[in-house]
Amino acid sequence: MINTTVLQLTTLFMLLNVGFCSSCKDSDSPIPIHPIEEQLPPITTTGAGTFGCRVNGKVWVAKSNKTGWSSTYASISRNNDLLVHISGNILLDNSRDDLINLTFFYDSSNYYPLYLRKDNVPAGKYTDILANKFWRTDSLIGGGVTISKLDTLTQIISGIFQFSCIQKETQDTLHITEGRFDMHYTY
């Protein structure tokens, strides 16, 4: 008798629970469910290995899910010209491969313009590798990099940047804003 009553109560509880749960909507949830928007990395000077910005207002943060492939890279040439190359990459299997490059000559000032260089190499570039599309700075459209730290002992380079770049074929323009990087560099 007790087993039958327990079974009936358990069945009734399960039916009420299923009915209650099926009538719930997302708005009935006490905790709102919102997708978490990706955030830009903080502006740091510790060699954190970060690179991020906004591309036409949308957050863009360097990341890679490929084993052995770093999402950030920085180098300074050992030649007298001290060419600096900084890049961030989003590499997600075969679904996304975007690259942002900053190239300039270091001369111990803090600010470096990102326009077409004297050797006709763009100083700022955005590349969608999978689509084979390139946006570049030119002699009229560009921006700049401000170096906040360049430590030759720990080989850390950090700074902020912004630039606009254009795709020559379509005249499509990208606006790269709120850029920041903090990484170790190689020679």
Side-chain angles (χ1 to χ4, degrees):
M1 175 101 165
I2 292 178
N3 287 341
T4 306
T5 305
V6 169
L7 181 62
Q8 289 173 341
L9 285 173
T10 302
T11 305
L12 179 63
F13 176 75
M14 288 173 49
L15 287 173
L16 287 173
N17 196 24
V18 167
F20 175 75
C21 289
S22 65
S23 68
C24 288
K25 300 175 194 157
D26 285 345
S27 61
D28 294 338
S29 174
I31 300 171
I33 301 171
H34 301 287
I36 297 173
E37 182 180 328
E38 189 169 21
Q39 300 292 314
L40 289 173
I43 296 174
T44 56
T45 59
T46 60
T50 57
F51 185 105
C53 59
R54 290 187 184 275
V55 177
N56 286 347
K58 294 184 181 175
V59 173
W60 189 102
V61 177
K63 59 184 151 273
S64 174
N65 64 3
K66 287 216 169 199
T67 304
W69 188 268
S70 176
S71 61
T72 60
Y73 174 79
S75 68
I76 299 176
S77 70
R78 289 185 181 255
N79 300 336
N80 292 336
D81 60 4
L82 294 177
L83 180 66
V84 177
H85 178 81
I86 299 167
S87 65
N89 188 228
I90 295 180
L91 184 58
L92 303 177
D93 294 323
N94 294 326
S95 66
R96 189 162 178 194
D97 192 354
D98 300 345
L99 180 66
I100 295 177
N101 292 313
L102 312 171
T103 307
F104 55 92
F105 292 100
Y106 183 75
D107 63 7
S108 75
S109 63
N110 288 343
Y111 181 78
Y112 302 90
L114 291 176
Y115 289 92
L116 190 69
R117 291 191 343 224
K118 293 175 186 174
D119 55 2
N120 287 328
V121 174
K125 187 166 80 170
Y126 182 96
T127 307
D128 180 339
I129 294 172
L130 296 178
N132 197 29
K133 292 185 177 180
F134 306 90
W135 290 259
R136 299 175 174 143
T137 56
D138 63 18
S139 59
L140 300 175
I141 188 169
V145 175
T146 300
I147 298 297
S148 52
K149 180 175 186 173
L150 179 64
D151 186 329
T152 57
L153 294 176
T154 60
Q155 291 182 263
I156 292 174
I157 187 166
S158 307
I160 58 173
F161 63 93
Q162 61 80 31
F163 66 95
S164 293
C165 49
I166 191 166
Q167 188 184 40
K168 293 295 182 190
E169 296 81 20
T170 64
Q171 298 297 301
D172 181 35
T173 303
L174 294 180
H175 302 286
I176 313 245
T177 58
E178 297 181 52
R180 69 273 319 266
F181 58 88
D182 180 23
M183 58 188 77
H184 289 272
Y185 65 87
T186 62
Y187 282 107

